[in-house]
Amino acid sequence: MVEIEILTLFPEMVDAPLRASVLGKALARGAIRIRAVDIRDFATGKHQVTDDVPFGGGAGMVMKVEPIVAAVEDCRARLPGINVMLTSPRGRRFDQEMARDFHSRGRLALVCGRYEGVDERATQFVDGEVSIGDFVMTGGEFAALCIADAVARLERGVLGNEDSCQAESFERGLLEYPQYTRPREFRGRGVPEILLTGNHDRVKRFRRREALVATRLRRPDLFAKLTLTEEDEALLSGEEP
Ligand SMILES: C[S@@+](CC[C@H](N)C(=O)[O-])C[C@H]1O[C@@H](n2cnc3c(N)ncnc32)[C@H](O)[C@@H]1O
């Protein structure tokens, strides 16, 4: 079972979203474990201070190294072998492959920075740094939630339908084919007839073609990495699915 810990100064920010919908149900069933750890609990002194002004001057505050390292060490002691990642815009860009890697390791801790970030020395006590994209947020909590969600849904029993993950975007180096549901017609817009034929083979080929076309159009970088089969080439050159 996958176990995820989110180390944060604002546990209430991560608790509420985890309780909703698919993850909330999976947590309630015990299919996954995700919990927030309050970094402030590891700060010492009367005021449990977790941030301070930067050496050398400059805007804003920096998260102190001691509470972060104490929280990380506590986590490592309770959950041996845990993979500890610091959320940071300077980290490696998160993607589906990383989600699978994190999931396969079983235990994951995500450390959330705040303010101007964390004292650089804290980076020496984690196993890596992870970014969710080239933009800057006020804190790591939303990044941690994105990552936790993507990792948790790979766990068996979290999604109702275990096939859900298989055809999804990025799972086979392709974006997903378009999906439709009722009504059959909406404001003059129908759904592709082939999806109504009940011919599973043709539907499968149609979806494969749509996934290939979407990937070629929207993500030429992914498309360039694909090894196309003869059938793929035929579908792309206009053969009927
Ligand atoms: C305001 S940011 C600090 C940005 C830092 N001063 C910089 O320029 O790289 C505060 C915290 O938000 C989190 N954060 C912000 N953007 C992020 C992103 N794109 N991916 C992951 N974490 C992010 C990190 O934990 C970071 O320590």
mmCIF file of all heavy atoms in Angstrom, residues 87-90 112-117 130-133 135-140 143, ligand 1:
data_model
loop_
_atom_site.group_PDB
_atom_site.id
_atom_site.type_symbol
_atom_site.label_atom_id
_atom_site.label_comp_id
_atom_site.label_asym_id
_atom_site.label_seq_id
_atom_site.Cartn_x
_atom_site.Cartn_y
_atom_site.Cartn_z
ATOM 1 N N THR A 87 9.498 19.959 -2.508
ATOM 2 C CA THR A 87 8.837 20.657 -3.616
ATOM 3 C C THR A 87 9.585 21.975 -3.850
ATOM 4 O O THR A 87 9.890 22.697 -2.903
ATOM 5 C CB THR A 87 7.368 20.964 -3.287
ATOM 6 O OG1 THR A 87 7.317 21.742 -2.096
ATOM 7 C CG2 THR A 87 6.565 19.704 -3.099
ATOM 8 N N SER A 88 9.895 22.242 -5.112
ATOM 9 C CA SER A 88 10.681 23.438 -5.421
ATOM 10 C C SER A 88 10.590 23.743 -6.910
ATOM 11 O O SER A 88 10.656 22.828 -7.734
ATOM 12 C CB SER A 88 12.148 23.176 -5.059
ATOM 13 O OG SER A 88 12.971 24.127 -5.678
ATOM 14 N N PRO A 89 10.462 25.035 -7.275
ATOM 15 C CA PRO A 89 10.467 25.345 -8.711
ATOM 16 C C PRO A 89 11.800 24.992 -9.365
ATOM 17 O O PRO A 89 11.888 24.909 -10.585
ATOM 18 C CB PRO A 89 10.247 26.866 -8.757
ATOM 19 C CG PRO A 89 9.945 27.312 -7.384
ATOM 20 C CD PRO A 89 10.342 26.226 -6.426
ATOM 21 N N ARG A 90 12.829 24.752 -8.560
ATOM 22 C CA ARG A 90 14.133 24.366 -9.115
ATOM 23 C C ARG A 90 14.275 22.863 -9.290
ATOM 24 O O ARG A 90 15.317 22.371 -9.717
ATOM 25 C CB ARG A 90 15.257 24.863 -8.203
ATOM 26 C CG ARG A 90 15.297 26.384 -8.088
ATOM 27 C CD ARG A 90 16.594 26.832 -7.470
ATOM 28 N NE ARG A 90 16.886 26.084 -6.237
ATOM 29 C CZ ARG A 90 17.971 26.264 -5.484
ATOM 30 N NH1 ARG A 90 18.865 27.149 -5.850
ATOM 31 N NH2 ARG A 90 18.150 25.572 -4.391
ATOM 32 N N CYS A 112 6.923 20.732 1.925
ATOM 33 C CA CYS A 112 6.392 21.959 1.329
ATOM 34 C C CYS A 112 7.157 23.177 1.828
ATOM 35 O O CYS A 112 7.185 23.426 3.035
ATOM 36 C CB CYS A 112 4.920 22.133 1.685
ATOM 37 S SG CYS A 112 3.913 20.723 1.233
ATOM 38 N N GLY A 113 7.735 23.915 0.891
ATOM 39 C CA GLY A 113 8.367 25.176 1.247
ATOM 40 C C GLY A 113 7.312 26.272 1.320
ATOM 41 O O GLY A 113 6.175 26.097 0.877
ATOM 42 N N ARG A 114 7.696 27.390 1.916
ATOM 43 C CA ARG A 114 6.832 28.588 2.002
ATOM 44 C C ARG A 114 7.710 29.815 1.915
ATOM 45 O O ARG A 114 8.934 29.709 1.889
ATOM 46 C CB ARG A 114 6.085 28.605 3.338
ATOM 47 C CG ARG A 114 4.802 27.812 3.307
ATOM 48 C CD ARG A 114 3.617 28.691 2.918
ATOM 49 N NE ARG A 114 2.636 27.956 2.141
ATOM 50 C CZ ARG A 114 1.628 28.549 1.520
ATOM 51 N NH1 ARG A 114 1.459 29.854 1.581
ATOM 52 N NH2 ARG A 114 0.784 27.838 0.799
ATOM 53 N N TYR A 115 7.132 30.964 1.890
ATOM 54 C CA TYR A 115 7.860 32.246 1.880
ATOM 55 C C TYR A 115 8.821 32.291 0.685
ATOM 56 O O TYR A 115 8.431 31.942 -0.415
ATOM 57 C CB TYR A 115 8.569 32.469 3.232
ATOM 58 C CG TYR A 115 7.708 32.065 4.398
ATOM 59 C CD1 TYR A 115 8.096 31.067 5.292
ATOM 60 C CD2 TYR A 115 6.455 32.650 4.590
ATOM 61 C CE1 TYR A 115 7.277 30.670 6.348
ATOM 62 C CE2 TYR A 115 5.629 32.265 5.646
ATOM 63 C CZ TYR A 115 6.048 31.275 6.506
ATOM 64 O OH TYR A 115 5.235 30.878 7.534
ATOM 65 N N GLU A 116 10.091 32.638 0.929
ATOM 66 C CA GLU A 116 11.048 32.699 -0.181
ATOM 67 C C GLU A 116 11.669 31.333 -0.464
ATOM 68 O O GLU A 116 12.563 31.211 -1.295
ATOM 69 C CB GLU A 116 12.150 33.719 0.122
ATOM 70 C CG GLU A 116 11.686 35.162 0.057
ATOM 71 C CD GLU A 116 10.984 35.497 -1.259
ATOM 72 O OE1 GLU A 116 11.555 35.210 -2.323
ATOM 73 O OE2 GLU A 116 9.864 36.018 -1.210
ATOM 74 N N GLY A 117 11.218 30.329 0.261
ATOM 75 C CA GLY A 117 11.765 28.987 0.088
ATOM 76 C C GLY A 117 12.439 28.515 1.358
ATOM 77 O O GLY A 117 12.223 29.084 2.435
ATOM 78 N N VAL A 130 11.463 18.335 -6.487
ATOM 79 C CA VAL A 130 10.487 18.127 -7.555
ATOM 80 C C VAL A 130 9.665 19.395 -7.778
ATOM 81 O O VAL A 130 9.234 20.054 -6.834
ATOM 82 C CB VAL A 130 9.595 16.884 -7.246
ATOM 83 C CG1 VAL A 130 8.859 17.015 -5.936
ATOM 84 C CG2 VAL A 130 8.624 16.617 -8.370
ATOM 85 N N SER A 131 9.492 19.712 -9.055
ATOM 86 C CA SER A 131 8.711 20.892 -9.448
ATOM 87 C C SER A 131 7.484 20.430 -10.216
ATOM 88 O O SER A 131 7.529 19.404 -10.894
ATOM 89 C CB SER A 131 9.578 21.769 -10.363
ATOM 90 O OG SER A 131 8.770 22.695 -11.048
ATOM 91 N N ILE A 132 6.394 21.193 -10.124
ATOM 92 C CA ILE A 132 5.240 20.808 -10.961
ATOM 93 C C ILE A 132 5.135 21.699 -12.193
ATOM 94 O O ILE A 132 4.170 21.594 -12.953
ATOM 95 C CB ILE A 132 3.902 20.752 -10.183
ATOM 96 C CG1 ILE A 132 3.538 22.108 -9.579
ATOM 97 C CG2 ILE A 132 3.923 19.668 -9.137
ATOM 98 C CD1 ILE A 132 2.057 22.197 -9.244
ATOM 99 N N GLY A 133 6.099 22.552 -12.433
ATOM 100 C CA GLY A 133 6.078 23.348 -13.666
ATOM 101 C C GLY A 133 6.836 24.644 -13.502
ATOM 102 O O GLY A 133 7.214 25.034 -12.399
ATOM 103 N N PHE A 135 6.542 27.755 -13.008
ATOM 104 C CA PHE A 135 5.830 28.896 -12.447
ATOM 105 C C PHE A 135 6.062 28.844 -10.945
ATOM 106 O O PHE A 135 6.476 27.804 -10.419
ATOM 107 C CB PHE A 135 4.333 28.854 -12.774
ATOM 108 C CG PHE A 135 3.691 27.524 -12.509
ATOM 109 C CD1 PHE A 135 3.218 27.213 -11.245
ATOM 110 C CD2 PHE A 135 3.592 26.578 -13.513
ATOM 111 C CE1 PHE A 135 2.635 25.978 -10.987
ATOM 112 C CE2 PHE A 135 3.020 25.335 -13.262
ATOM 113 C CZ PHE A 135 2.543 25.031 -11.999
ATOM 114 N N VAL A 136 5.804 29.957 -10.272
ATOM 115 C CA VAL A 136 6.091 30.002 -8.833
ATOM 116 C C VAL A 136 4.799 30.194 -8.045
ATOM 117 O O VAL A 136 4.028 31.115 -8.330
ATOM 118 C CB VAL A 136 7.087 31.137 -8.501
ATOM 119 C CG1 VAL A 136 7.378 31.168 -7.005
ATOM 120 C CG2 VAL A 136 8.379 30.946 -9.282
ATOM 121 N N MET A 137 4.582 29.311 -7.089
ATOM 122 C CA MET A 137 3.410 29.424 -6.202
ATOM 123 C C MET A 137 3.867 29.934 -4.844
ATOM 124 O O MET A 137 5.055 30.004 -4.565
ATOM 125 C CB MET A 137 2.742 28.057 -6.066
ATOM 126 C CG MET A 137 2.199 27.545 -7.380
ATOM 127 S SD MET A 137 1.499 25.895 -7.213
ATOM 128 C CE MET A 137 2.971 24.959 -6.935
ATOM 129 N N THR A 138 2.902 30.251 -4.003
ATOM 130 C CA THR A 138 3.262 30.805 -2.691
ATOM 131 C C THR A 138 3.778 29.723 -1.747
ATOM 132 O O THR A 138 4.404 30.025 -0.738
ATOM 133 C CB THR A 138 2.053 31.501 -2.034
ATOM 134 O OG1 THR A 138 0.974 30.568 -1.990
ATOM 135 C CG2 THR A 138 1.643 32.741 -2.797
ATOM 136 N N GLY A 139 3.481 28.468 -2.051
ATOM 137 C CA GLY A 139 3.925 27.394 -1.177
ATOM 138 C C GLY A 139 3.868 26.060 -1.895
ATOM 139 O O GLY A 139 3.322 25.949 -2.992
ATOM 140 N N GLY A 140 4.411 25.025 -1.260
ATOM 141 C CA GLY A 140 4.491 23.712 -1.903
ATOM 142 C C GLY A 140 3.265 22.844 -1.719
ATOM 143 O O GLY A 140 3.208 21.727 -2.246
ATOM 144 N N ALA A 143 1.485 21.829 -4.918
ATOM 145 C CA ALA A 143 2.382 20.918 -5.653
ATOM 146 C C ALA A 143 2.326 19.531 -5.018
ATOM 147 O O ALA A 143 2.183 18.518 -5.712
ATOM 148 C CB ALA A 143 3.811 21.466 -5.624
HETATM 149 C C1 LIG B 1 7.489 31.356 -3.324
HETATM 150 S S1 LIG B 1 8.134 29.762 -3.499
HETATM 151 C C2 LIG B 1 9.863 30.049 -3.429
HETATM 152 C C3 LIG B 1 10.425 30.356 -4.757
HETATM 153 C C4 LIG B 1 11.931 30.584 -4.739
HETATM 154 N N1 LIG B 1 12.236 31.818 -4.108
HETATM 155 C C5 LIG B 1 12.446 30.580 -6.163
HETATM 156 O O1 LIG B 1 12.492 31.626 -6.793
HETATM 157 O O2 LIG B 1 12.764 29.483 -6.679
HETATM 158 C C6 LIG B 1 7.780 28.993 -1.982
HETATM 159 C C7 LIG B 1 7.652 27.481 -2.026
HETATM 160 O O3 LIG B 1 6.593 27.140 -2.884
HETATM 161 C C8 LIG B 1 6.842 25.881 -3.454
HETATM 162 N N2 LIG B 1 6.718 26.010 -4.916
HETATM 163 C C9 LIG B 1 6.490 27.144 -5.601
HETATM 164 N N3 LIG B 1 6.396 26.923 -6.915
HETATM 165 C C10 LIG B 1 6.568 25.585 -7.084
HETATM 166 C C11 LIG B 1 6.585 24.741 -8.221
HETATM 167 N N4 LIG B 1 6.440 25.194 -9.452
HETATM 168 N N5 LIG B 1 6.765 23.411 -8.021
HETATM 169 C C12 LIG B 1 6.931 22.915 -6.775
HETATM 170 N N6 LIG B 1 6.936 23.682 -5.661
HETATM 171 C C13 LIG B 1 6.753 24.994 -5.810
HETATM 172 C C14 LIG B 1 8.210 25.429 -2.994
HETATM 173 O O4 LIG B 1 8.062 24.544 -1.915
HETATM 174 C C15 LIG B 1 8.844 26.730 -2.551
HETATM 175 O O5 LIG B 1 9.819 26.530 -1.546
#
